[in-house]
Amino acid sequence: MSAPIRIAVTGAGGQIGYALIFRIASGGLFGPDQPVSLRLLEITPALPSLNGTLMELDDCAFPLLKDVVATDQTTTAFDGADWVILVGGLPRKEGMSRADLIRANGPIFTGQGKAINEAAGPDVRVLTVANPCNTNALIARSHAPKVPAERWFAMTRLDQNRAAAQLAIKAGVGVGEVTQLTIWGNHSDTQYPDYKNALIGGKPATSVINDPTWLSDTFVPTVAKRGSAVIKARGASSAASAANAALDSVRSASFPTKSGDWFSAGVVSDGSYGIPAGLIYSFPLTSTDGKSWSIVQNLPIDDDARARLDASAKELQDERDAVKDLLGPAA
Ligand code: NAD
Ligand code: LMR
């Protein structure tokens, strides 16, 4: 058996954390032959309850789980980590936008970025889930100059999964038939779920669902506002689907992409598609080796899509301006 992959999860005692760590420990992330090692970070008052979760992890007797440490110390949590999943932070409540969390959650990512820089493993990769996730990732990265730009991800996979499900339901097909689906931009209401370049059963989604009004006026806002709809229905923000999307995100970055498909995540823009370099913006990505990735180039972008891509970039620039005081030397 290979050496364990070490995964650090922050906010491990929260709703998403509880849905995430048992799946990682059971082999649901890296498969049935790959041992894992967990580092769980929580704020001090949450440690007693996290201890209960440690008891439950023991009681699952997961053969792949080599060791677990629960701590309130960031450098202990990130020490030697291969992956860091940044979940810890406040979720929004009904009536709030994700950007309303920026001043509450943003400061968490200065210290955590520094601790990743100091303590994480040499090949660490970091997925930010806590909202507003693109800008929190930007803050953390700005404090971690040792960690190269291509190792940072912000989670828009939940949006991709939501978009795939909505298209599949409308077309009356299984969700596996939906491919080449991009979420462009911010994990916010300005995101653009790109149905114009998506395929259903290998055919353009726009020909399978021959209903331009539904695609533009129902599908796009349904996906973009799904987080609010879940909060309204559940009384709490999505947790199991978010944990599932975190697993999908890490897996997509860790294994070669299936031929003819791609996946979405917020990554550091290199200027592709005219998006300002340095912003953490969601693009279509492929990986040939499960280590590096590249942005899918030359997708057709019409005037309507262009306006949507630019609006989301503008929102991210505004968010970056709102946290200027929190940015570190690698900004
Ligand atoms: P939660 O309140 O249930 O759990 C958050 C946990 O983070 C709590 O246990 C809290 O003690 C902990 N925490 C707070 N500050 C911390 C710190 N400095 N270090 C370590 N832990 C800390 O919330 P949740 O439902 O698990 O959601 C977590 C975050 O994920 C929220 O910001 C939410 O908006 C976001 N989210 C993002 C997506 C996405 O698609 N990107 C989807 C769902 C939720
Ligand atoms: C989601 O998309 O469900 C999460 O980002 C939670 C939220 O605040 O919408």
Side-chain angles (χ1 to χ4, degrees):
M1 266 205 178
S2 41
I5 295 179
R6 185 173 289 186
I7 304 125
V9 178
T10 74
Q15 294 247 0
I16 296 174
Y18 193 72
L20 183 61
I21 59 184
F22 291 88
R23 290 185 66 187
I24 297 175
S26 71
L29 180 54
F30 291 115
D33 299 319
Q34 175 58 59
V36 292
S37 165
L38 281 174
R39 296 291 177 270
L40 308 179
L41 182 72
E42 258 298 348
I43 53 172
T44 314
L47 285 180
S49 128
L50 187 58
N51 260 328
T53 304
L54 292 189
M55 291 163 70
E56 286 202 83
L57 277 171
D58 281 345
D59 296 349
C60 288
F62 289 125
L64 292 173
L65 182 58
K66 289 306 164 205
D67 61 90
V68 193
V69 172
T71 176
D72 58 2
Q73 300 299 309
T74 46
T75 46
T76 307
F78 300 150
D79 184 36
D82 299 299
W83 270 97
V84 174
I85 308 181
L86 296 171
V87 183
L90 286 180
R92 66 175 163 156
K93 301 263 183 315
E94 198 175 340
M96 291 169 76
S97 79
R98 297 186 187 102
D100 293 338
L101 296 168
I102 209 163
R103 295 304 314 181
N105 285 346
I108 294 173
F109 296 89
T110 60
Q112 292 188 353
K114 285 177 195 162
I116 289 168
N117 198 53
E118 198 179 311
D123 300 323
V124 68
R125 293 191 275 178
V126 185
L127 172 69
T128 305
V129 174
N131 280 317
C133 62
N134 300 55
T135 297
N136 289 338
L138 185 91
I139 296 170
R141 180 192 167 224
S142 76
H143 291 280
K146 287 202 310 220
V147 182
E150 63 275 12
R151 308 266 196 82
W152 297 88
F153 303 88
M155 192 167 93
T156 56
R157 183 53 167 271
L158 180 52
D159 309 294
Q160 180 191 324
N161 290 347
R162 288 167 170 163
Q166 293 301 315
L167 291 179
I169 291 165
K170 180 75 174 173
V173 300
V175 80
E177 296 293 306
V178 181
T179 55
Q180 301 194 351
L181 185 49
T182 309
I183 301 297
W184 298 95
N186 197 2
H187 175 59
S188 77
D189 292 1
T190 67
Q191 68 178 262
Y192 174 47
D194 185 355
Y195 58 89
K196 289 177 188 164
N197 286 303
L199 303 179
I200 300 177
K203 300 192 186 102
T206 49
S207 69
V208 177
I209 301 173
N210 189 9
D211 187 347
T213 307
W214 180 84
L215 287 164
S216 151
D217 299 352
T218 301
F219 166 74
V220 170
T222 296
V223 174
K225 294 178 190 219
R226 185 73 162 183
S228 306
V230 171
I231 291 170
K232 194 159 191 274
R234 230 188 136 237
S237 79
S238 51
S241 57
N244 181 64
L247 298 180
D248 284 346
S249 306
V250 172
R251 261 198 306 269
S252 288
S254 302
F255 296 100
T257 312
K258 213 168 139 196
S259 166
D261 205 359
W262 59 69
F263 64 98
S264 297
V267 293
V268 178
S269 171
D270 61 355
S272 290
Y273 293 96
I275 301 306
L279 284 184
I280 299 209
Y281 190 95
S282 183
F283 287 102
L285 307 175
T286 57
S287 176
T288 51
D289 57 5
K291 292 189 179 80
S292 57
W293 47 262
S294 41
I295 296 175
V296 177
Q297 298 294 335
N298 301 318
L299 293 177
I301 303 293
D302 65 14
D303 289 349
D304 169 68
R306 182 75 256 166
R308 293 175 188 267
L309 265 63
D310 290 343
S312 211
K314 166 77 171 58
E315 182 183 50
L316 283 167
Q317 286 172 306
D318 291 346
E319 286 187 17
R320 185 176 58 189
D321 289 346
V323 296
K324 252 193 187 125
D325 58 314
L326 300 178
L327 295 178

